[in-house]
Amino acid sequence: MMNRRNFLDTLAVGSLTALAPLAVRAATPTPKRVVVVGGGMAGATVAKYLRLWSGKTVNVTLVESASQYTSNIMSNLVVTGQYSPTILNYGYTNLVKNYSISRLTGTVTAVEPGGALGAWKVTVVSGSTTSVLYCERVVLAPGVQFDAVPSTADSTIAAPILHAWHAGPQTTKLRDQLAAMPPTGTFVMTIPKAPYRCPPGPYERACVVADYLKRNKSGAQVVVLDANQDIMAEKESFSHAFTTLYGSNLTYLTGRVVKSVEAIAGHPEGSVLVDVVVKDAGGNDVVMGSETYDAQVLNVIPPHRAGAIVQTLGLADATGFAPVDGRSFESTVAGKAGIHVIGDASKTTLPKAGHVANQGAKICADAILRAFVAQPPYATPTANSACFSPVSNTLASWLTAVYQYQQDPVTGAWKYVAMDQVSGAAGATEAKAPSTEQFSKMNTWYKTLMTETYS
Amino acid sequence: MKALMGWVMLAGALWAQPAAAQGVDDGRLLASGCFQCHGTSGLKGGFGTLAGVEKLDMMNKLNDMRTKTARSNIMNPHARGYTTYQLSLIADYFSKLPKP
């Protein structure tokens, strides 16, 4: 059997010197193989587009331990009981059928050099069965995992946390706790320091929970403890909602960093101990003291980091996320060429969110397909964020930005930058005001985005 | 900054040459950012089909959006977020797809 890597090297040299015609490349003895790890928004999209854009010539295996995806997008409206949890469920049947993607149920435990059989060898464990896949490229889309929060009584023990920040059983559990909360109870939620998944998401949750309580338990209160010094997304919409729509039943506090939690597993109530942190003139954190908040329903969203496989393979840096080349999402860690990290697990200047993860996956798929014909990735890709957020059961806002991959004129670093090309204004744009029309468009956006990703 | 943007665009154009020779369309990757709301390959999206739309029609619409206040409609900041060169690549890509 011909050594695949040697063959590729020969091919690359040939292409550079003589621009070998397509027919020569078509004579490659075996199809190129990609293993995609994780079937969330990013993983599903990259698997689909590697097949669609290669005319089904690249073999793609999608490895995921769950039988279906549960969407984080829209899950806040499941927490309030407005929507059924079934609207969050997307299976893999359509992807498998429409694009002939190989689907493997299991968990990836190792990715090692594959020797003569392929660039990478991927080990997948499913129950008592272990299988091995060889491939030219690996795409990791494991999403995030949550840091443990110490128990107040004993900091060596992790406190039981209900974050509901990874949709699934925790989403309906929080819904049930909220529904059962005493009419004069307090719902306390905490927001971790950025970067976290879905920048507007926690503020959206605060709003729709406050709206639910206003309509169902008029004596109840919402307390939002934000580790950040300000609202991280859609500042105008959310601060307006906090002070007007929910001025009577929501308290929003910045610079509250969770230290520990006292709670009993399965019980909704608990208390959270926070440091009160302000910034000094030099921009450094200064702890002013600590506070304890008691809750009848406690919803702690802990800080997160890239999923386990990214940590296991040494692909994350000190931030907990994986540094990548923004043109391809290929890992920039030495010795890991050919391993790509997409979605919330990657470290870029793009927001961690489903709509953006879908686009990052397409950038990755395009770069891999170019690499398979010995071409560099597209030098200046773009990504966009278009995200609707409910602020009540009838009103929604939106946040959007187009990100250009460009070189910082001062530091020389390449990164995704959001800018209005007409006015030169930097950053994302938010809707003028929440509206019912936008709430209706939000439902259309969700269905279209999920169809584009899962079928 | 202007000079840098020029460079970035030039770099994009230079990469486009060999890629186009291989049948990889730079417009496709740019246009794929529209698929989340307008459907895969501009088909069956909840916000309107883009496949097969005449290039001039699309450019006129996008240029019109660029003149409008960003916050009044979600499409305005999208049109304003790309360079006109990028918008022309996007419009060109969709115009060449068959109409449904």
Side-chain angles (χ1 to χ4, degrees):
Chain A
M1 180 176 173
M2 185 169 189
N3 182 302
R4 174 169 288 277
R5 299 209 81 171
N6 286 347
F7 179 81
L8 266 177
D9 289 345
T10 311
L11 191 65
V13 172
S15 313
L16 285 173
T17 53
L19 279 174
L22 210 62
V24 173
R25 281 186 301 279
T28 306
T30 50
K32 296 288 188 289
R33 300 157 298 179
V34 181
V35 173
V36 177
V37 183
M41 299 297 285
T45 305
V46 81
K48 166 176 167 171
Y49 279 91
L50 283 166
R51 294 289 291 165
L52 179 65
W53 283 348
S54 73
K56 299 189 179 177
T57 60
V58 169
N59 285 357
V60 177
T61 305
L62 176 62
V63 185
E64 164 63 53
S65 58
S67 61
Q68 64 181 9
Y69 175 64
T70 308
S71 171
N72 295 306
I73 301 177
M74 300 301 267
S75 66
N76 283 332
L77 292 177
V78 173
V79 168
T80 60
Q82 184 170 356
Y83 288 155
S84 157
T86 57
I87 71 146
L88 306 178
N89 299 340
Y90 286 84
Y92 300 103
T93 318
N94 287 331
L95 283 182
V96 168
K97 189 180 67 186
N98 297 344
Y99 305 100
S100 313
I101 292 162
S102 303
R103 167 88 172 91
L104 188 57
T105 302
T107 303
V108 170
T109 54
V111 178
E112 305 153 275
L117 296 172
W120 294 102
K121 173 189 168 191
V122 180
T123 305
V124 184
V125 174
S126 180
S128 56
T129 313
T130 298
S131 47
V132 167
L133 300 165
Y134 289 90
C135 61
E136 281 62 60
R137 298 265 168 171
V138 180
V139 184
L140 302 177
V144 298
Q145 57 183 330
F146 299 90
D147 292 353
V149 177
S151 167
T152 304
D154 181 351
S155 65
T156 63
I157 299 171
I161 295 298
L162 189 66
H163 50 73
W165 211 241
H166 178 85
Q170 290 211 359
T171 307
T172 45
K173 194 160 190 185
L174 186 60
R175 174 197 66 186
D176 296 345
Q177 290 186 357
L178 195 61
M181 192 170 89
T184 55
T186 302
F187 175 88
V188 176
M189 66 175 287
T190 73
I191 304 173
K193 271 189 187 152
Y196 56 83
R197 168 184 277 166
C198 189
Y203 310 101
E204 168 188 307
R205 176 174 290 175
C207 284
V208 297
V209 167
D211 173 58
Y212 166 84
L213 294 176
K214 208 169 140 184
R215 286 181 291 107
N216 295 282
K217 298 172 197 282
S218 58
Q221 288 287 318
V222 173
V223 175
V224 184
L225 304 171
D226 194 342
N228 299 289
Q229 293 296 331
D230 204 347
I231 293 173
M232 292 285 98
E234 292 177 71
K235 189 184 167 184
E236 197 176 315
S237 292
F238 289 123
S239 52
H240 184 261
F242 289 169
T243 52
T244 56
L245 293 174
Y246 311 118
S248 63
N249 72 338
L250 184 147
T251 306
Y252 172 70
L253 299 166
T254 61
R256 262 62 176 191
V257 181
V258 173
K259 297 303 289 176
S260 65
V261 161
E262 205 55 57
I264 301 164
H267 288 241
E269 70 277 9
S271 68
V272 56
L273 176 69
V274 296
D275 270 349
V276 181
V277 178
V278 295
K279 294 271 182 202
D280 67 12
N284 302 306
D285 284 353
V286 180
V287 178
M288 305 296 286
S290 64
E291 297 168 342
T292 299
Y293 292 87
D294 293 327
Q296 276 63 59
V297 174
L298 181 58
N299 178 209
V300 172
I301 306 170
H304 18 304
R305 61 189 62 228
I309 190 67
V310 165
Q311 314 294 339
T312 304
L313 299 180
L315 297 167
D317 68 10
T319 66
F321 297 98
V324 292
D325 181 330
R327 301 170 303 164
S328 60
F329 289 78
E330 188 170 6
S331 171
T332 52
V333 172
K336 304 294 185 185
I339 300 182
H340 302 248
V341 183
I342 57 174
D344 294 349
S346 63
K347 181 192 169 191
T348 69
T349 51
L350 294 170
K352 300 187 186 301
H355 185 107
V356 183
N358 170 292
Q359 191 55 33
K362 286 182 281 201
I363 293 167
C364 175
D366 185 82
I368 289 174
L369 295 176
R370 287 175 197 246
F372 285 163
V373 291
Q375 293 296 327
Y378 185 52
T380 55
T382 58
N384 66 67
S385 159
C387 141
F388 287 83
S389 287
V391 297
S392 77
N393 65 336
T394 56
L395 299 171
S397 179
W398 53 254
L399 174 69
T400 198
V402 176
Y403 296 87
Q404 303 272 353
Y405 195 62
Q406 61 189 48
Q407 196 169 22
D408 188 293
V410 179
T411 66
W414 284 83
K415 59 183 176 183
Y416 284 97
V417 178
M419 195 179 83
D420 184 318
Q421 302 292 323
V422 181
S423 70
T429 304
E430 59 177 302
K432 203 183 284 175
S435 72
T436 52
E437 187 203 352
Q438 285 162 187
F439 194 95
S440 158
K441 282 186 173 170
M442 172 183 73
N443 291 325
T444 308
W445 163 73
Y446 174 64
K447 282 178 201 142
T448 306
L449 173 60
M450 300 314 282
T451 304
E452 139 74 357
T453 306
Y454 284 94
S455 59
Chain B
M1 190 63 201
K2 276 248 163 67
L4 180 80
M5 288 305 292
W7 258 107
V8 170
M9 276 178 60
L10 180 61
L14 287 174
W15 286 125
Q17 291 306 316
Q22 304 287 343
V24 179
D25 184 347
D26 292 336
R28 184 182 71 185
L29 181 57
L30 285 164
S32 71
C34 311
F35 297 176
Q36 288 100 312
C37 294
H38 294 276
T40 303
S41 305
L43 287 168
K44 294 179 183 170
F47 294 99
T49 294
L50 300 178
V53 172
E54 295 279 345
K55 186 175 177 180
L56 192 61
D57 286 353
M58 193 177 290
M59 282 308 287
N60 283 341
K61 281 200 178 107
L62 290 166
N63 278 322
D64 185 48
M65 291 167 187
R66 281 166 76 83
T67 66
K68 293 186 175 163
T69 317
R71 294 179 63 185
S72 58
N73 184 292
I74 195 167
M75 267 312 295
N76 298 349
H78 281 277
R80 296 172 67 100
Y82 294 93
T83 64
T84 47
Y85 169 71
Q86 289 170 329
L87 291 176
S88 73
L89 287 178
I90 292 170
D92 191 59
Y93 173 78
F94 283 120
S95 72
K96 287 174 180 162
L97 296 178
K99 262 197 176 113

